[in-house]
Amino acid sequence: MIRPYQSADKKQVEEIFWETSARSEFATPEERQQFQQQYLDSYLSHVAFVAIDGDQVMGYVIAHRNTLESEATWAAHLGLFKDCYQQYPAHLHINCRAAAQGQGWGGKLLAALEHELAKLTVCGVHLITAASARNVNFYKKYGYLEVARRPWKQAELLLLGKNL
């Protein structure tokens, strides 16, 4: 079942966030908390859905409706794609437990998010990932298009977008 996020889901959503995070080492507990605030907590009050199986949260999708409105809190790499945010204003993050991957939860979460954003008259949604990441094909399967590629440190970042 896919439903809107509720505060009672927070503990399990945090577990999934850390299970799926590419970053696990931090200099201080405060730096770790700041990372969680930037990439999870700040989104939960905007648009958020969870995938539920019984009493377990299997995954979540979160989005800011308008990336340009949150510029003061951007991670540095978000500025690389600022020219794309008028056409694709909403910014999403999605994560599923390893045991839930490949079972259709991600597609259902994206559909719920896209439907809600469209109801809110948001014209498009985007995400940023490494151009070489295995998740690129997942997004393309659900209609996300490559909008831009930009170099970042030792990698190439990709902005994928979808008009709603």
Side-chain angles (χ1 to χ4, degrees), residues 91-108:
H91 182 105
L92 78 83
H93 291 275
I94 182 172
N95 289 299
C96 290
R97 294 183 187 277
Q101 293 177 6
Q103 297 181 23
W105 292 109
K108 291 175 184 171

Side-chain angles (χ1 to χ4, degrees), residues 39-90:
Y39 292 103
L40 176 67
D41 296 346
S42 67
Y43 288 79
L44 291 173
S45 63
H46 291 266
V47 182
F49 289 89
V50 291
I52 303 292
D53 187 11
D55 61 353
Q56 186 171 30
V57 176
M58 303 305 289
Y60 65 87
V61 65
I62 53 180
H64 275 291
R65 290 171 49 183
N66 188 332
T67 302
L68 292 171
E69 289 179 357
S70 65
E71 187 170 1
T73 63
W74 283 2
H77 68 278
L78 286 176
L80 294 173
F81 300 100
K82 187 174 181 178
D83 60 315
C84 303
Y85 300 150
Q86 287 293 339
Q87 184 172 356
Y88 305 99

Side-chain angles (χ1 to χ4, degrees), residues 77-78 80-81 84-85 91 126-137 139-140 144-152 155-161:
H77 68 278
L78 286 176
L80 294 173
F81 300 100
C84 303
Y85 300 150
H91 182 105
H126 74 272
L127 63 109
I128 299 169
T129 190
S132 61
R134 65 184 181 100
N135 65 359
V136 172
N137 288 331
Y139 293 110
K140 287 183 175 182
Y144 287 75
L145 304 174
E146 182 175 326
V147 176
R149 287 178 181 250
R150 309 272 160 80
W152 175 254
E156 185 174 37
L157 295 183
L158 178 63
L159 183 129
L160 297 171

Side-chain angles (χ1 to χ4, degrees), residues 14-33 35-36 39:
E14 286 177 349
E15 289 169 4
I16 296 167
F17 175 78
W18 289 111
E19 175 187 326
T20 58
S21 178
R23 186 168 177 199
S24 59
E25 295 187 21
F26 299 88
T28 65
E30 293 78 17
E31 183 183 10
R32 185 179 192 272
Q33 182 57 41
F35 182 81
Q36 179 178 317
Y39 292 103

